[in-house]
Amino acid sequence: MAEHPDAAVVRKGYEAFSTGDMETLRSLMTADCTHHSPGDSRMSGHFKGADNVLGHYGQLMELTGGTFRIETKGIYPDGRGHVMSVHKWHADRGDRGIEMEGGLFFTIVGGKVTDIDECVADIDEADAFWEQQTD
């Protein structure tokens, strides 16, 4: 049985993220794609536009010295332009490490991602790991 096209887009996105292939990631998003990250930390907020979304992903890597990684557990399309993914993310930051379950809820239009809503198992723990933005 063939994979649903929307699930294939998300799977390709996870693969590109995992290999640092930002060109492929960009090709999977609309120009005005938005990523919504939960919580109240330097990594929380609404990142609108492909450049800002990719910048957000770059900051994940920068803040963790390149240790941020995702282990995909499942990708589930609804056949109506939405895909839910479940994963575990791992990262080290300074003397602190984190491993947490999470997921993304994608909206896909015309074969491209338009919106990504992120969920994490423990928002407070994620906030503590990322810390507040310092100005």
Side-chain angles (χ1 to χ4, degrees), residues 41-96:
S41 76
R42 66 176 60 210
M43 297 308 294
S44 302
H46 307 283
F47 303 90
K48 185 164 180 66
D51 289 340
N52 290 325
V53 172
L54 295 175
H56 174 64
Y57 298 161
Q59 192 171 25
L60 292 170
M61 293 302 181
E62 182 180 321
L63 291 173
T64 64
T67 65
F68 189 92
R69 65 185 173 84
I70 299 255
E71 178 185 343
T72 308
K73 301 289 188 177
I75 296 175
Y76 312 105
D78 72 355
R80 297 182 316 272
H82 302 103
V83 176
M84 181 175 56
S85 66
V86 179
H87 59 249
K88 183 181 282 188
W89 58 280
H90 312 259
D92 294 310
R93 190 159 177 259
D95 63 352
R96 182 178 188 151

